[in-house]
Amino acid sequence: MNCIKDCFASLAKTPHRPCCWLVLVLSLGILIGHFLPFALLFWLWASSILVLIFLFRPKIWPVYTSVFCLGAALIHIAHPPAMDILQDWRGQLKQSLYHYLDGQEAGTMSAIVLGDRGQIPKEINMAFRHTGTGHILVIAGLHMAMMTAMVIFILKLVRIPRPWQVALSILLIFTYAILTGGSVPVVRAAFMASVVLASLSVELESDALNSLCFAALILLLMDAGNLFDTSFQLSFAAVAAIVILYAPLEKRLSFFPKWLAGAVSVSTAAWIGITPLQIWHFGTIAPVALIANLFIVPLLDLTVALGLTLALAGLWLAPVAWTLAGCLKVVFNLMVVASFWFSKIPFGYIQLTSHRTTWT
């Protein structure tokens, strides 16, 4: 109970977050527009009338009203599929992985590094799923955080002005997001990283929850249907839970060493965030994920760094690539063995129902 009180207290003390309110109003509009499928013309007229009604009201009610109606209208607009402009380059990097790794390793690494999940061995996929760590096979926030750290570290060595470092970092982050197929978790992470980097470049403190909601706002404006996408929901639920619950949980675990308290807090917060959605969509719950993430996620950081470097080095520097491949095999197989071991723990993964709930 004290932890819950700390969460509400921290939220109450935080200044107004405009993006949080805007994404909430937009989401409500999308839900109304989805379940009350009036014609687009109706929503355009409704938006105009409601804005006029609230036009002389104080504060920003006209903005909220127009955003609400915009969400209701967007759900009726068909968005064309995104163009995969870096498909050829992704194919070359994938071939590089298959050249230096065996089939199972390369298939899994293609998912972890390049977002191509078509060749993941079934037994590896099930092992990660049963330990609640299946998220590492989908490029998302962890991968983008690692990519961002690598880019910033390299650019600092070049010793260029901070604004140029930030601009190049954002450019490379979005290039990597497009390279991996531009999935919802990747684009969300790219927007979040860009907002944080931009705020640092002008020496402003960034609010993590507001940055997360800004990313959600952009994604929903790009395609309102993202609101009903399972990946979108799980991705934002996990990150939002970490942002809100991390500090209170770490405070309650202060009797642990700082590094352990931080790791446990992140793992627990993410698990709390995604578990309701996991039960809703898949009818499953994975308590073992609380422990498994502590061992598997650190190995993922090394795996992403080695895998991405190997894919690039394999195109031009064969001797270096063979050395990287040897190191990657050790780290990757250690991560897989850990996932298989955790998947065998009794009641670590519980199938509550076989029915998968979908939005209709």
Side-chain angles (χ1 to χ4, degrees), residues 265-316:
S265 299
V266 170
S267 179
T268 304
W271 185 81
I272 292 173
I274 68 172
T275 294
L277 289 171
Q278 190 175 8
I279 295 173
W280 173 268
H281 287 291
F282 308 110
T284 62
I285 186 172
V288 73
L290 289 168
I291 303 174
N293 276 291
L294 299 178
F295 293 87
I296 294 177
V297 170
L299 293 174
L300 173 67
D301 293 341
L302 287 174
T303 302
V304 171
L306 290 171
L308 185 59
T309 308
L310 170 62
L312 293 171
L315 300 178
W316 303 292

Side-chain angles (χ1 to χ4, degrees), residues 199-240:
S199 64
L200 291 177
S201 68
V202 293
E203 298 183 352
L204 292 177
E205 185 177 353
S206 175
D207 182 86
L209 192 59
N210 198 61
S211 300
L212 176 66
C213 289
F214 174 76
L217 187 66
I218 297 298
L219 290 174
L220 291 176
L221 290 175
M222 292 170 59
D223 185 356
N226 282 330
L227 183 64
F228 308 100
D229 181 73
T230 304
S231 174
F232 178 92
Q233 296 170 15
L234 290 171
S235 176
F236 278 92
V239 179

Side-chain angles (χ1 to χ4, degrees), residues 11-12 14-30 59-61 63-69 71 207 209-217 220:
L11 289 175
T14 306
H16 179 66
R17 298 181 172 103
C19 289
C20 298
W21 290 104
L22 288 174
V23 78
L24 176 61
V25 172
L26 183 67
S27 298
L28 289 174
I30 292 172
K59 298 182 180 179
I60 55 174
W61 277 108
V63 176
Y64 286 152
T65 304
S66 57
V67 168
F68 174 86
C69 293
D207 182 86
L209 192 59
N210 198 61
S211 300
L212 176 66
C213 289
F214 174 76
L217 187 66
L220 291 176

Side-chain angles (χ1 to χ4, degrees), residues 69-121:
C69 293
L70 175 63
L74 282 176
I75 197 64
H76 301 291
I77 300 175
H79 292 266
M83 295 180 61
D84 196 352
I85 58 178
L86 297 179
Q87 184 178 5
D88 293 339
W89 192 26
R90 183 165 69 247
Q92 295 178 18
L93 294 175
K94 183 178 177 181
Q95 290 178 2
S96 177
L97 291 174
Y98 272 91
H99 180 71
Y100 294 97
L101 303 172
D102 64 39
Q104 288 192 338
E105 293 169 345
T108 309
M109 287 305 303
S110 294
I112 294 175
V113 176
L114 301 175
D116 185 355
R117 305 185 70 239
Q119 302 298 321
I120 302 176

Side-chain angles (χ1 to χ4, degrees), residues 169-193:
S169 298
I170 293 175
L171 176 62
L172 291 174
I173 287 169
F174 275 99
T175 300
Y176 180 64
I178 297 172
L179 176 66
T180 59
S183 65
V184 170
V186 179
V187 175
R188 182 266 303 161
F191 273 116
M192 272 205 69

